[in-house]
């Protein structure tokens, strides 16, 4: 048969991998455990699916305090205990006094991650996290490894995405220090 | 050697692919209304607690 019209076949643009959106719900009573709070919301593997989801969920500034959005590749859980994350770490950025830009910068970060332009060739990126906190909202880019050279390149790209020109705004923490409250970043950009 | 096609899109290219349709007209594979309601509910509870706290501790 012949296709009757253009509308019959919607062209979708495939992404390099499948992604899952997770949400951490802030606790509202003491009976709730971590596993009640962190839940996958949906998955997408095309540009069109991404936009449809993105336009139907609350924007960062609309989220309650102690919320997190996580967008992770394939079936990687957004926890440092996951095997894919265990040897990695995160580039962390705190939006001090840049609250007004949060929605735009989060969207740019997501687009750079799912569009795979934040690093070249084999991807080091496992996922990206937005944390809404009283003391300042945070973005974190989770990586597979903690090797300095590729990470420094990624950090530099991340700064372009966030439109930061000054130094000292990005900090890299290996997940191996996740339990250490006094941990210092292993790289600062 | 097998060359695997790595699909990448710049931020500008992704913006160009943003659909013109209103959010409600875009099909999604999860219950977005329920999700937004959950988020709104948490916000409401947090606001009510904040108000209660201020009433007892006399802020401002
Ligand atoms: Zn799909
Ligand atoms: Zn110290």
């Amino acid at each position: 048969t012949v296709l009757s019209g253009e509308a019959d076949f919607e062209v979708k643009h495939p992404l390099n991998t499948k992604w899952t959106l997770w949400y951490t719900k802030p606790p509202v009573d003491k009976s709730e455990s971590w596993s009640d709070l962190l839940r996958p919301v949906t998955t997408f593997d095309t540009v069109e699916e991404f936009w449809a989801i993105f336009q139907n969920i609350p924007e960062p500034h609309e989220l309650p305090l102690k919320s997190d959005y996580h967008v992770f590749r394939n079936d990687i859980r957004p926890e440092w205990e996951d095997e894919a994350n265990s040897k990695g770490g995160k580039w962390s950025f705190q939006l001090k006094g840049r609250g007004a830009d949060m929605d735009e910068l989060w969207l740019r970060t997501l687009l750079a991650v799912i569009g795979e332009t934040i690093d070249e060739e084999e991807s080091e990126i496992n996922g990206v996290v937005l944390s809404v906190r009283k003391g300042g909202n945070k973005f974190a880019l989770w990586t597979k490894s903690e090797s300095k050279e590729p990470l420094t390149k990624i950090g530099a790209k991340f700064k372009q995405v966030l439109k930061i020109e000054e130094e000292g705004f990005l900090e890299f923490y290996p997940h191996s220090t996740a339990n250490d409250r006094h941990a210092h970043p292993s790289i600062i950009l | 050697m097998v060359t695997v096609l790595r699909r990448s899109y710049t931020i500008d290219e992704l913006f160009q692919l943003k659909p013109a349709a209103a959010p409600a007209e875009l099909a999604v594979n999860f219950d977005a209304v329920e999700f937004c309601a959950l988020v709104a509910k948490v916000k409401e509870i947090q606001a009510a607690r904040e108000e209660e706290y201020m009433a007892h501790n006399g802020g401002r």
Side-chain angles (χ1 to χ4, degrees):
Chain A
T1 59
V2 177
L3 290 166
S4 54
E6 266 179 54
D8 283 344
F9 80 122
E10 281 179 27
V11 182
K12 285 193 175 181
H13 296 75
L15 295 168
N16 201 39
T17 55
K18 180 187 92 175
W19 297 87
T20 302
L21 167 71
W22 302 68
Y23 177 63
T24 306
K25 186 182 88 68
V28 290
D29 73 73
K30 292 194 176 80
S31 68
E32 293 171 301
S33 70
W34 177 243
S35 58
D36 299 321
L37 303 176
L38 174 66
R39 291 281 174 81
V41 177
T42 184
T43 62
F44 56 94
D45 57 12
T46 66
V47 176
E48 287 73 11
E49 284 169 347
F50 165 78
W51 280 119
I53 292 164
F54 183 82
Q55 291 183 268
N56 277 286
I57 59 174
E59 288 190 282
H61 80 272
E62 297 172 308
L63 292 176
L65 287 174
K66 296 183 184 167
S67 294
D68 301 315
Y69 273 147
H70 319 250
V71 175
F72 273 68
R73 199 188 289 283
N74 295 318
D75 298 310
I76 302 174
R77 289 183 62 87
E79 297 174 309
W80 49 264
E81 297 91 336
D82 189 290
E83 206 185 326
N85 294 321
S86 60
K87 292 185 185 70
K90 61 180 182 189
W91 272 117
S92 176
F93 169 65
Q94 190 165 11
L95 290 99
K96 283 183 193 128
R98 295 172 59 123
D101 305 336
M102 172 163 65
D103 293 352
E104 188 208 341
L105 295 181
W106 171 242
L107 175 57
R108 284 175 57 83
T109 301
L110 280 180
L111 295 178
V113 168
I114 66 165
E116 312 275 357
T117 53
I118 210 150
D119 58 359
E120 286 139 34
E121 295 157 55
E122 246 335 276
S123 188
E124 272 285 330
I125 309 290
N126 282 348
V128 59
V129 185
L130 160 77
S131 304
V132 181
R133 298 293 183 273
K134 208 171 190 172
N137 301 308
K138 269 187 215 162
F139 296 167
L141 206 54
W142 285 43
T143 63
K144 253 197 284 208
S145 80
E146 47 170 296
S147 41
K148 203 156 183 168
E149 210 200 293
L151 291 184
T152 304
K153 279 192 195 164
I154 290 169
K157 264 282 181 54
F158 192 21
K159 282 182 80 169
Q160 287 175 14
V161 171
L162 297 170
K163 303 176 182 174
I164 304 170
E165 278 162 21
E166 309 86 346
E167 272 177 33
F169 279 86
L170 285 196
E171 297 182 328
F172 187 83
Y173 291 93
H175 292 314
S176 54
T177 65
N179 278 331
D180 178 358
R181 303 185 65 205
H182 300 284
H184 293 260
S186 62
I187 319 173
I188 298 176
L189 270 189
Chain B
M1 226 185 110
V2 183
T3 317
V4 179
L5 177 68
R6 184 171 180 275
R7 294 192 173 94
S8 64
Y9 305 86
T10 65
I11 291 179
D12 286 342
E13 285 167 343
L14 290 168
F15 270 118
Q16 281 160 27
L17 293 170
K18 186 174 170 177
E25 290 162 22
L26 301 169
V28 288
N29 52 0
F30 71 109
D31 193 336
V33 173
E34 186 186 82
F35 179 68
C36 292
L38 169 85
V39 170
K41 183 80 200 157
V42 173
K43 247 189 138 164
E44 213 180 281
I45 293 170
Q46 283 186 352
R49 283 188 186 163
E50 179 75 6
E51 206 168 291
E52 173 142 338
Y53 178 85
M54 294 302 268
H56 287 285
N57 295 275
R60 78 193 58 192

